[in-house]
Amino acid sequence: MPGTRKLGRATDHRRAMLRAMVTYLLENGKIETTVTRAKEVRSMAEKMVTTAKTNNLHSRRQVLAYVTKEDVVKKLFDDIAPRYSERNGGYTRIIKIGPRRGDAAEMAIIELV
């Protein structure tokens, strides 16, 4: 299955949802969501951290184009990215926590390592 998962949403809705989830993950460090959403969020969150590791105006603007809150971008560049300066990828961890009560969807916690 090449490319991204559709997650049962239209393109603009899916993109907006992922932007919001990545912003929330970088803001709070942890999200509880479904496994498939967590895998999509991981992909974008890791790209944001990797971009933020090169701390210059161009990379800051690239991250600002995706992350929806300016204070989260500041936190990413000042706190999160320097923490992973020696690490090449693998900034997030997905922990499966079993099925959701309502519809038995497989749930997971995604967190920054």
Side-chain angles (χ1 to χ4, degrees):
M1 182 179 110
T4 58
R5 297 167 180 86
K6 293 192 177 178
L7 302 174
R9 281 163 171 73
T11 307
D12 52 349
H13 184 182
R14 178 174 61 248
R15 196 171 290 139
M17 180 190 73
L18 289 173
R19 284 179 68 186
M21 289 179 82
V22 168
T23 302
Y24 190 84
L25 174 65
L26 295 172
E27 187 175 26
N28 299 303
K30 172 191 272 197
I31 302 180
E32 183 176 323
T33 183
T34 62
V35 172
T36 50
R37 281 188 195 170
K39 288 178 179 177
E40 281 300 300
V41 169
R42 171 176 56 187
S43 167
M44 285 313 300
E46 301 236 350
K47 284 179 182 141
M48 292 299 116
V49 175
T50 303
T51 305
K53 282 168 72 174
T54 57
N55 191 356
N56 57 27
L57 183 61
H58 179 60
S59 59
R60 191 173 288 264
R61 284 179 175 164
Q62 284 180 316
V63 172
L64 264 168
Y66 194 83
V67 175
T68 56
K69 294 181 180 176
E70 287 186 30
D71 56 324
V72 175
V73 173
K74 183 170 172 28
K75 179 181 178 183
L76 175 62
F77 277 86
D78 295 347
D79 304 337
I80 299 170
R83 198 167 64 198
Y84 300 119
S85 61
E86 300 297 314
R87 191 178 190 124
N88 295 325
Y91 314 118
T92 57
R93 171 188 303 139
I94 295 178
I95 304 166
K96 294 183 181 177
I97 56 172
R100 182 162 55 195
R101 187 152 185 258
D103 59 358
E106 193 65 33
M107 296 299 285
I109 293 174
I110 179 169
E111 60 190 9
L112 294 171
V113 174

